[in-house]
Amino acid sequence: SPPVMTCEARGEGEGEGVGGGRHVVVIGAGPCGLFAALTLARAGVRVTLCERGKPVEQRGRSIGALIKRRVLDPESNFCYGEGGAGTWSDGKLTTRIGRNSAAVRTVLETLVTFGAPQRILLDGKPHLGTDNLVRLLKGFRAELLRLGADILWDARVQSLI
C-alpha cells in the first residue's frame, strides 16, 4: 500500500474579498483541478493542489513501463497523475456547453497561453495531442508555482475532515 500524504489546510482568517487569507485545497490535477487552482491562485487565494499521481514527466515513464514491460504503478498510470485521465488518450477537446460560450473560449485561450496550438481557437473539433499536452501541462504547473500555489505529488487523499 502506498504512503498516504495528508493534505491539510486551515483558514487563517475570514478577511474580505475572494482571497481574504483563505487557504483552499484542490484535490486532483486533472483539467477541473488545474483550472480551479489557477482561478483561485489568480484571485489571490492560497492554494494547495494535491495529486495522487506524479508530474507529467515522471508519469510518462510510468506509462512507458506499463506499455513496454507490463509494470503497473498503481499511483501513476493512465488514470492518475498530472493532467488527469485524458492526458494519454487522444487529446480531443469536447464540450456540450457551446463552443462559442465565454467559458469555453476562456478555457481554450488559457490552453493556448500554456502552449496549445492556436488552431484550437478556430477548429470545429479541436485536438491537442499528447505531445502538446505534456508541454502545456509543464507551462500550467509553472504558472501555478509562480502564483504561489503549493503542489503535492503522490498525495492520495483518503478522507476529508
Side-chain angles (χ1 to χ4, degrees):
S1 170
V4 176
M5 180 177 290
T6 302
C7 294
E8 185 175 315
R10 300 200 187 280
E12 286 111 22
E14 291 305 309
E16 297 295 321
V18 176
R22 293 189 177 99
H23 182 186
V24 175
V25 175
V26 175
I27 300 171
C32 291
L34 289 169
F35 273 95
L38 181 66
T39 301
L40 290 163
R42 284 180 172 168
V45 176
R46 185 172 158 225
V47 175
T48 299
L49 177 61
C50 297
E51 170 54 50
R52 174 179 180 162
K54 299 189 181 318
V56 71
E57 302 90 343
Q58 293 174 35
R59 186 177 178 205
R61 289 190 288 278
S62 299
I63 289 171
L66 176 60
I67 293 169
K68 291 180 180 148
R69 296 187 312 276
R70 297 187 147 332
V71 176
L72 172 65
D73 179 340
E75 302 300 321
S76 179
N77 50 54
F78 286 106
C79 295
Y80 306 117
E82 186 175 24
T87 304
W88 266 269
S89 69
D90 61 4
K92 287 189 178 99
L93 299 173
T94 306
T95 180
R96 292 186 180 107
I97 61 172
R99 191 120 168 89
N100 295 318
S101 73
V104 171
R105 186 75 184 176
T106 298
V107 166
L108 294 175
E109 289 170 351
T110 301
L111 294 174
V112 168
T113 299
F114 293 133
Q118 292 253 345
R119 71 177 183 273
I120 70 167
L121 298 173
L122 304 172
D123 288 351
K125 293 185 179 180
H127 182 266
L128 290 174
T130 297
D131 291 346
N132 287 322
L133 274 170
V134 170
R135 183 176 63 252
L136 183 153
L137 288 168
K138 289 178 185 179
F140 214 119
R141 181 188 338 139
E143 178 66 1
L144 286 171
L145 293 170
R146 188 190 70 75
L147 291 168
D150 294 314
I151 304 175
L152 303 177
W153 307 108
D154 299 309
R156 185 177 183 183
V157 177
Q158 303 257 169
S159 64
L160 300 173
I161 52 174

